[in-house]
Amino acid sequence: MGVSTSETEKGVAVITVDFPPVNALPVRGWYDLADAIRVTGRDPGVRCVVLTAAGRGFNAGVDIKEMQRDDGHGALIGANRGCFEAFAAVYECEVPVVAAVQGFCLGGGIGLAGNSDAIVASEDAVFGLPELDRGALGAATHLARLVPQHLMRALYYTSRTATAEELHRHGSVWKVVPRAELRGAAMGLAREIAAKDGSLLRLAKAAINGIDPVDVRRSYRFEQGFTFEANLSGVADRVRAAFGTDKDKGQERQP
């Protein structure tokens, strides 16, 4: 359980997230993931990183129960900062990052996938931000990198999800494959990337980030300010208190 790194092929490192049962990461988990990505990206022998997850889903966001156990705001602040660091680590990784997404990719999962350089997804993968159902805000910055603006807004306001095939049609998912073929497809793309000159790849990554029309760090940090406002006003606690109870009114959208 936790975050692990392996290098099964020359030039390709695989970072695996494993936090049963649904890969909802605690505060420490987000920081561990950020550290793993940054350390791996700095390794001169690595030319591509594959970000994957164990279990039935890629990522279910933050561990809301950890927040519910905290009488203050420490867990909330930790989760916000941890997510910020993990998302930034993916975006700023010195080499390309390929996200291999299966099952659900929700909340913080959108931040990770949205900041990746390429996404390979299984046929059962779904992408969405159930933030408004969970007393939170954020990651619209990253969802906007996956779908057109108006679709992003509709998905955000409704907490609905989009399928891997829908994202493939929008051009943000490289390939959609049966779940059993996901790792092989992700490794195949990573292998093709890693065949390039390592120094040139690093220059290419820096150059592409440099012409990005949106500053993802500033944009996401701006969103997080409203997350704090929602918590300070009490509305977030009111919504979050219903999470996992009968008051949730069947709004749970995870598979």
Side-chain angles (χ1 to χ4, degrees), residues 35-72:
D35 290 343
I37 294 168
R38 292 190 187 282
V39 168
T40 303
R42 287 195 295 266
D43 184 342
V46 174
R47 298 182 182 184
C48 187
V49 171
V50 174
L51 179 60
T52 186
R56 60 193 181 93
F58 178 72
N59 190 284
V62 303
D63 186 348
I64 293 180
K65 292 181 180 178
E66 182 180 38
M67 291 185 187
Q68 292 174 327
R69 292 191 298 267
D70 185 1
D71 293 332

Side-chain angles (χ1 to χ4, degrees), residues 17-198:
V17 176
D18 184 12
F19 285 88
V22 294
N23 283 323
L25 274 59
V27 171
R28 185 67 259 165
W30 291 107
Y31 281 106
D32 288 346
L33 178 56
D35 290 343
I37 294 168
R38 292 190 187 282
V39 168
T40 303
R42 287 195 295 266
D43 184 342
V46 174
R47 298 182 182 184
C48 187
V49 171
V50 174
L51 179 60
T52 186
R56 60 193 181 93
F58 178 72
N59 190 284
V62 303
D63 186 348
I64 293 180
K65 292 181 180 178
E66 182 180 38
M67 291 185 187
Q68 292 174 327
R69 292 191 298 267
D70 185 1
D71 293 332
H73 292 103
L76 169 68
I77 294 172
N80 278 352
R81 289 180 175 174
C83 284
F84 183 86
E85 289 301 323
F87 300 169
V90 172
Y91 185 78
E92 296 166 357
C93 183
E94 294 182 22
V95 298
V97 176
V98 175
V101 178
Q102 85 277 11
F104 44 84
C105 179
L106 306 173
I110 293 294
L112 298 174
N115 269 359
S116 296
D117 293 276
I119 303 170
V120 178
S122 61
E123 293 171 336
D124 65 346
V126 292
F127 300 75
L129 290 175
E131 314 304 276
L132 294 186
D133 287 345
R134 299 295 172 258
L137 296 169
T141 292
H142 312 94
L143 184 59
R145 296 168 67 83
L146 301 176
V147 298
Q149 179 69 211
H150 285 82
L151 178 55
M152 178 277 286
R153 289 172 179 255
L155 291 174
Y156 195 90
Y157 297 146
T158 62
S159 296
R160 290 178 178 269
T161 58
T163 67
E165 187 55 45
E166 288 174 314
L167 264 61
H168 182 258
R169 291 200 297 269
H170 288 299
S172 53
V173 167
W174 172 261
K175 183 178 291 187
V176 181
V177 297
R179 181 181 282 227
E181 299 175 16
L182 178 61
R183 185 180 177 95
M187 291 298 293
L189 176 57
R191 190 180 303 118
E192 185 174 349
I193 293 171
K196 307 301 182 185
D197 180 85

